[in-house]
Amino acid sequence: MTILLAYDGKPDTEAALDYATKLSVSLNEPLYILTVVSKEQMDPENPDPSIQEYMEAASQKALSQGADAHTIIEVGKPEDTIIEVADRFQCDVIVVGRPDRSRFDRMVMGSVSQDIVANAVCPVIIVPTPDESEVEE
């Protein structure tokens, strides 16, 4: 079971990183950590260093917990690129975080996770962002 995690380094996806790492370790299967960025962020003349930093941190976190983690950085539209990469690597499951936005925000702006659920050919696990009151200190 190959696992694909859609990750952007934001707090909304940290819980998804933890979940995907645990799943990878428990099943002893590879974990692909994917981030999708804009052309401006990956401009060869002026790349955004924060992307490599958060991807390296995610990889190190997963590796330190025993996952067989691999990072992928792609340029494109997130919902399309996530589906494309899942197909390319023949992933059995896609793990995504759920941003803490209102229903109105999701209706107006759309939701990457909703689009992935609607178009993926494999199961999609949506991991909610824990409330601050639920986070252990």
Side-chain angles (χ1 to χ4, degrees):
M1 171 183 278
T2 303
I3 303 158
L4 177 67
L5 168 65
Y7 184 76
D8 63 8
K10 295 178 184 168
D12 295 340
T13 56
E14 286 303 311
L17 172 61
D18 293 340
Y19 184 92
T21 299
K22 289 176 186 172
L23 186 62
S24 172
V25 170
S26 69
L27 297 174
N28 196 29
E29 295 291 344
L31 169 62
Y32 291 95
I33 304 170
L34 167 69
T35 194
V36 182
V37 298
S38 68
K39 289 179 183 176
E40 294 79 30
Q41 291 172 303
M42 288 305 292
D43 178 2
E45 300 295 319
N46 189 24
D48 184 341
S50 68
I51 296 165
Q52 193 62 41
E53 289 172 16
Y54 73 70
M55 289 299 283
E56 182 63 28
S59 175
Q60 288 304 314
K61 184 176 183 179
L63 289 167
S64 73
Q65 294 177 23
D68 176 17
H70 310 271
T71 58
I72 304 167
I73 301 173
E74 294 277 338
V75 175
K77 185 177 175 189
E79 49 273 27
D80 296 339
T81 306
I82 292 165
I83 299 286
E84 194 176 286
V85 170
D87 290 344
R88 184 183 332 145
F89 286 91
Q90 299 178 340
C91 294
D92 299 293
V93 65
I94 301 170
V95 179
V96 296
R98 183 181 72 207
D100 189 19
R101 297 188 318 193
S102 71
R103 285 184 187 205
F104 179 75
D105 288 341
R106 287 190 299 271
M107 283 178 14
V108 172
M109 295 185 291
S111 168
V112 171
S113 56
Q114 288 174 333
D115 196 58
I116 294 168
V117 168
N119 295 296
V121 296
C122 63
V124 178
I125 299 172
I126 301 174
V127 181
T129 302
D131 291 338
E132 285 185 28
S133 60
E134 296 175 6
V135 176
E136 295 178 24
E137 294 183 28

